[in-house]
Amino acid sequence: MDVTGSGKIVVGTTGAEQSSRLSDDGGTTWTDGTAPASPRTSISAQCVPGQATRCYRVRQNHLGVDQSDDGGRTWRPSWEPSPDARLRLNRKYGADESMLMSYDLAVQARPGGHVVVVANGVDGILVRDVSGAWHRLGWSYTLDDVQADEVDLSPERNVALFLAACMLLGGVGARMRRYQGAFAASGAIGALAMFVALDSGSGETGFVNLTAVFSWAVALATGLACLVLAWDGKPQPVSALTGVVAAPLVYAAVYLPFHGWARGTPETHGTAVTLAALLTGLIVVAGVAVIAIDARRHSYLDGSSTSSPT
């Protein structure tokens, strides 16, 4: 990172071709440079020009910035990601802590105060504006157009698909006239096999992932068995339709709270878990109630049809 004589902030980037991000308005907007920043010693601490008591430093081997108001004698946190923001970053970039740290910074006096620009490694650029607010710019080009984190939600997606499959199979098999036990066993094995296959993912070393292949084969076989059993077992229409309708609702109830969490609303992962559990529970209870009401109606009609006057 460097600040040129004309006041332009230059942040070097690495990749297939080294280049730079350039800002001449204190980090509010950025453009791509055609050449890397001039090689220089990394600056991990710097004071505000003309205000030697206010200083900033990056935390060594950590993602964060400290602030001093007494010229560097004492320090306090100025910016650090919240635990949930850190979790989102770990999901986005992986668990390698060396990829998530603040490397160096530049402090620049601007009209109305000063700005701080921090190079946060793979997470891009961090900016403190003149009002004192910190912004994770990342690799966006303006503070007004910061892109949401692309968080890996595959664990939550896999759980959502598993529970949706359970809801579908449970609705279809709840009131089958025949083969109910065989259908339940096949459905349970198939749903678990699908979950294992999804969780296994693809092979990372280029070889075939035998666990995923075997699990998908089991899921396909038991799925076909469920289709045959359902066709011959004659499930009640209302029960089966309840499973068909409720399955995508269960998927949405589980997945959407985490989709929102990945973008900051709700703020905490725990809140997303609570919302997903409550919404899924409401859908399951409603589905069970519909099936139970239909069962009582059929029981009443069957009893009426077999009764005779005395």
Side-chain angles (χ1 to χ4, degrees), residues 118-304:
V118 184
N120 272 353
V122 294
D123 195 42
I125 298 169
L126 173 72
V127 177
R128 176 204 184 273
D129 63 25
V130 292
S131 71
W134 289 93
H135 308 272
R136 277 183 56 235
L137 182 70
W139 299 110
S140 301
Y141 288 94
T142 70
L143 291 182
D144 296 328
D145 187 31
V146 177
Q147 301 296 314
D149 289 328
E150 294 297 326
V151 178
D152 177 18
L153 293 176
S154 55
E156 290 81 4
R157 179 206 63 197
N158 295 345
V159 172
L161 288 170
F162 170 72
L163 294 178
C166 290
M167 190 70 206
L168 172 64
L169 295 168
V172 173
R175 299 196 60 231
M176 287 177 58
R177 294 181 176 89
R178 294 188 298 174
Y179 310 127
Q180 193 174 51
F183 182 90
S186 298
I189 294 172
L192 286 171
M194 181 192 72
F195 180 79
V196 171
L198 289 169
D199 193 54
S200 298
S202 58
E204 298 180 357
T205 62
F207 296 98
V208 175
N209 188 324
L210 295 180
T211 300
V213 170
F214 177 76
S215 298
W216 279 122
V218 172
L220 179 61
T222 52
L224 291 173
C226 286
L227 285 175
V228 172
L229 292 170
W231 178 266
D232 198 41
K234 296 180 172 56
Q236 290 288 347
V238 171
S239 178
L241 182 61
T242 299
V244 171
V245 172
L249 295 178
V250 166
Y251 177 85
V254 175
Y255 183 76
L256 289 181
F258 297 101
H259 180 77
W261 166 78
R263 284 152 180 77
T265 305
E267 184 176 351
T268 68
H269 191 268
T271 302
V273 171
T274 301
L275 283 173
L278 288 174
L279 292 172
T280 304
L282 287 174
I283 295 169
V284 171
V285 169
V288 170
V290 170
I291 294 172
I293 291 171
D294 182 63
R296 286 196 297 269
R297 184 177 66 86
H298 276 275
S299 178
Y300 173 77
L301 293 176
D302 290 343
S304 298

Side-chain angles (χ1 to χ4, degrees), residues 67-121:
Q67 172 182 323
S68 174
D69 295 308
D70 54 14
R73 286 190 295 272
T74 61
W75 296 88
R76 62 181 176 84
S78 184
W79 175 86
E80 61 183 349
S82 68
D84 272 270
R86 183 77 190 200
L87 177 58
R88 283 189 283 267
L89 290 173
N90 285 335
R91 289 283 195 93
K92 181 178 181 179
Y93 297 114
D96 186 357
E97 294 292 321
S98 66
M99 298 176 65
L100 289 171
M101 67 174 64
S102 301
Y103 287 90
D104 58 355
L105 54 76
V107 182
Q108 184 182 56
R110 300 290 299 180
H114 63 274
V115 299
V116 183
V117 177
V118 184
N120 272 353

